[in-house]
Amino acid sequence: MRTQVAIVGAGPAGLLLSHLLDRAGVESVVVEARSREYVEARIRAGILEQSTVDLLREVGLGERLDREGDVHRGIYLQYPGERVHLDFVDLVGRSVTVYGQTEVTKDLGRARAAAGQEIVYEAADTAIHDAGTERPYLTFTGPDGRAERLDADVVVGCDGSFGPSRAAVPDPATWERTYPYSWLGILADAAPSTDELIYAWHPDGFALHSMRSATVSRLYLQVPNGTDVADWSDDRVWTALAERLGLDGWTLTPGPVTEKSVLPMRSFVQQPMRHGRLFLAGDAAHIVPPTGAKGLNLAVADVALLAPALAALVRNEDSALADAYSDTALRRVWRCTHFSWWMTTMLHTSADPFDTQLQLSQLRWVATSTAGATGLAENYAGLPIGF
Ligand code: DHB
């Protein structure tokens, strides 16, 4: 097989890249280790920045998003005795949209299928070869067990932190931060008890009330690393959520829990995001902890930069944008790495009493000062794609 751009990974980054390349007249083949059903069932965060929504609309992917997505003006920030609404529209003129990453992936999957995009699902042992030359190629075992080779002008790794692409960049610089806590996430058939998300600092640990629709809530609890979901009965989860999100005059409505899992938290950045004819996008190059929901938005920003760069490279042999890709993308990556680290460390309790006082002081400042709130709002609602 031969194509212009070989894309490893059919998550939102890989599928959106193939969509954008197609619109620019560039052919691609996507190779994915998992099945389409698996990829489309993966539960991830559900907050789209304004520029992510704008881009999806602009490229014809906004129909269901506009119908089902829930536009939020801001968030609530909570600390003992206070729940303060930060209005991003007032503060920075931008909103966010609640629409699950799973839904974005399904919309992309349908759009790519309708366009006749070649996607090889259930490809095993994908390997990247000769990335440092003008003739890179992939090898993999197809779903029928046959050995395949895919030659391309360019290979793009959209295969997350466990895929083969990251390791195909020789001698990268890497930065990593692990956190001494995890999230227990639940999905519940319960009408959200709030109109917009609540981020709550509590002495027992952080809690977040998010949602997926008028009838489905998504909630998270800070738990110790190594937590076993089996130790968290539905009753225990709802009791902890009611305690940590509690505020006089407000009640949390529980409901049947349909999914429960523990999420690790990590920051990771690898630089450069390119080696010769191999480019990395999304989680393949960087991981953010979930607080602030930046992961998908960062992946979208990467491929929004990469698509025009690759079109210029493969169609006109013009490498200027491709040469600038890694440095340009990393500016935004580091901004979001800082923001998600900041949100995480401000909201999760630690055993250190000095940290506790700093957190509470910072929360009060962000919640009550326009200057403080504006910084959070600008980062949360998202900086423009070219930032
Ligand atoms: C969600 C996840 C987040 O990490 C966050 O900051 C906000 C919302 C979510 O899953 O809805």
Side-chain angles (χ1 to χ4, degrees):
M1 281 193 282
R2 164 146 205 106
T3 189
Q4 289 177 297
V5 179
I7 300 172
V8 187
L15 293 175
L16 180 59
L17 180 62
S18 74
H19 185 88
L20 299 178
L21 288 172
D22 190 1
R23 288 173 58 90
V26 176
E27 213 179 74
S28 65
V29 172
V30 184
V31 177
E32 164 63 47
R34 306 283 192 164
S35 67
R36 181 169 170 185
E37 296 68 37
Y38 179 94
V39 170
E40 292 187 356
R42 234 169 356 201
I43 296 174
R44 292 288 185 273
I47 303 294
L48 306 185
E49 292 176 3
Q50 180 87 58
S51 53
T52 299
V53 173
D54 292 346
L55 175 78
L56 293 174
R57 263 193 208 133
E58 197 182 303
V59 300
L61 294 163
E63 197 215 328
R64 195 162 70 96
L65 166 62
D66 281 332
R67 216 173 342 111
E68 296 178 18
D70 194 8
V71 177
H72 285 197
R73 292 182 64 98
I75 59 165
Y76 295 96
L77 210 51
Q78 181 168 322
Y79 45 95
E82 299 286 342
R83 180 181 295 172
V84 180
H85 187 248
L86 303 187
D87 191 309
F88 303 159
V89 178
D90 285 350
L91 290 161
V92 294
R94 295 157 83 79
S95 57
V96 293
T97 300
V98 175
Y99 190 68
Q101 172 171 327
T102 313
E103 308 311 318
V104 175
T105 310
K106 283 186 209 155
D107 292 348
L108 279 162
R110 276 179 214 149
R112 295 323 298 137
Q117 172 70 43
E118 173 132 24
I119 306 177
V120 183
Y121 284 99
E122 299 178 72
D125 301 324
T126 299
I128 297 147
H129 307 272
D130 293 354
T133 75
E134 302 277 295
R135 301 188 185 289
Y137 64 98
L138 300 182
T139 54
F140 56 92
T141 306
D144 55 5
R146 282 191 15 204
E148 304 281 0
R149 170 175 168 144
L150 172 61
D151 287 273
D153 297 329
V154 167
V155 173
V156 183
C158 298
D159 49 346
S161 47
F162 301 111
S165 303
R166 178 185 287 179
V169 174
D171 303 319
T174 61
W175 294 263
E176 182 162 19
R177 172 69 43 101
T178 54
Y179 300 88
Y181 32 73
S182 305
W183 277 10
L184 178 75
I186 65 154
L187 205 56
D189 285 334
S193 301
T194 178
D195 56 341
E196 298 194 339
L197 275 61
I198 307 168
Y199 287 80
W201 186 101
H202 188 277
D204 294 352
F206 171 69
L208 169 60
H209 189 331
S210 183
M211 60 203 69
R212 286 291 174 274
S213 70
T215 54
V216 176
S217 294
R218 177 84 171 140
L219 299 120
Y220 300 97
L221 286 168
Q222 175 185 344
V223 291
N225 286 342
T227 290
D228 182 351
V229 276
D231 292 336
W232 284 82
S233 66
D234 294 2
D235 270 356
R236 184 177 177 200
V237 170
W238 285 115
T239 304
L241 286 167
E243 172 69 25
R244 297 188 197 180
L245 292 165
L247 192 74
D248 279 351
W250 179 86
T251 47
L252 176 66
T253 309
V257 174
T258 55
E259 198 265 349
K260 201 187 288 169
S261 54
V262 174
L263 292 69
M265 323 245 319
R266 194 158 73 97
S267 295
F268 174 86
V269 180
Q270 173 165 317
Q271 180 185 326
M273 289 168 63
R274 175 195 188 176
H275 170 59
R277 292 262 167 165
L278 168 66
F279 296 80
L280 303 180
D283 284 5
H286 41 75
I287 298 292
V288 287
T291 332
K294 285 295 167 209
L296 171 64
N297 294 292
L298 258 188
V300 167
D302 284 352
V303 300
L305 278 177
L306 194 51
L310 297 183
L313 184 66
V314 304
R315 297 188 59 178
N316 311 324
E317 307 240 338
D318 174 355
S319 65
L321 289 175
D323 291 344
Y325 168 70
S326 180
D327 287 349
T328 308
L330 280 160
R331 279 203 293 276
R332 185 190 190 85
V333 167
W334 275 112
R335 179 87 302 281
C336 292
T337 300
H338 175 265
F339 176 68
S340 51
W341 166 85
W342 177 69
M343 286 284 280
T344 299
T345 53
M346 175 169 68
L347 287 160
H348 291 72
T349 49
S350 76
D352 184 330
F354 182 74
D355 283 350
T356 302
Q357 295 307 322
L358 293 182
Q359 289 177 321
L360 292 171
S361 171
Q362 178 81 351
L363 280 163
R364 263 184 224 112
W365 178 64
V366 170
T368 58
S369 143
T370 304
T374 303
L376 187 150
E378 184 175 47
N379 282 280
Y380 194 109
L383 292 144
I385 291 276
F387 170 79

